[in-house]
Amino acid sequence: MPLATATLRRTRRLAAAALLAAAALSLTACQNGGEPAPAASSSSAGDPTAADGGAQGGSGGAPGKGVSRTGAGKTAATGGGGQGGASAGNKGVGGTWVGTLKWLTEDKLTVAPKDGMEQAFHLNDSTKALGAAALCEAPDGRVHLDASGYGTTPCSLADLRKAARLGYVDVRVTVVNGVATKIAEHYHP
């Protein structure tokens, strides 16, 4: 019995490692050739004519689902080591995603749409984080929102990382060249 138990555990570990490797590969938005990765789902590409920051696409065009990308199919692979964000001259994925904010590393988070593939992105010092209540609170204790229900209170990157580790904060993330430029919390009363 101990040999069978050890073999079963080893098999489970190998299966878990293979699953993690497959998940890591699926987070890569583009191949080195600059063409979109073949594993991308149909909901990960939006209307190529959509304006930057436009309405979110997805099944049935319902707000808050799927993704809106500008220049879909025109994104290039990220260059360099990818540590700490993209540097000048490197091209990466771009677009706007709506979903749950999740943690990968100190300078790399993901957004997981309800429908579609999870998208990874980098943070840098110019990333603008805006909260409503869960990400961070306004000094006056009130909830400040825009017309679409997204927070307008400036938050720190530390607040953003903390929320990503919690894994339940819904956000809209705008990414340019693989780096998040703006992350806004969607308010849920």
Side-chain angles (χ1 to χ4, degrees), residues 140-163:
D140 63 4
R142 297 177 49 201
V143 175
H144 298 275
L145 305 174
D146 65 10
S148 300
Y150 288 92
T152 59
T153 302
C155 302
S156 70
L157 290 180
D159 292 330
L160 194 60
R161 290 177 178 115
K162 182 179 176 184

Side-chain angles (χ1 to χ4, degrees), residues 43-108:
S43 66
S44 67
D47 180 7
T49 62
D52 188 25
Q56 282 72 32
S59 60
K65 289 191 175 187
V67 62
S68 171
R69 289 178 124 174
T70 57
K74 297 180 184 176
T75 58
T78 56
Q83 298 290 333
S87 61
N90 291 339
K91 302 265 184 194
V93 68
T96 300
W97 287 266
V98 174
T100 305
L101 187 66
K102 296 188 177 183
W103 173 266
L104 271 182
T105 68
E106 188 71 16
D107 293 316
K108 193 171 187 180

Side-chain angles (χ1 to χ4, degrees), residues 85-86 93-95 97 101 107-111 119-129 157 160 172-184:
V93 68
W97 287 266
L101 187 66
D107 293 316
K108 193 171 187 180
L109 306 179
T110 68
V111 61
Q119 178 62 50
F121 56 88
H122 292 276
L123 299 177
N124 67 17
D125 293 336
S126 64
T127 300
K128 184 176 181 180
L157 290 180
L160 194 60
R172 177 179 59 206
V173 181
T174 303
V175 177
V176 176
N177 292 329
V179 178
T181 58
K182 182 178 175 184
I183 302 173

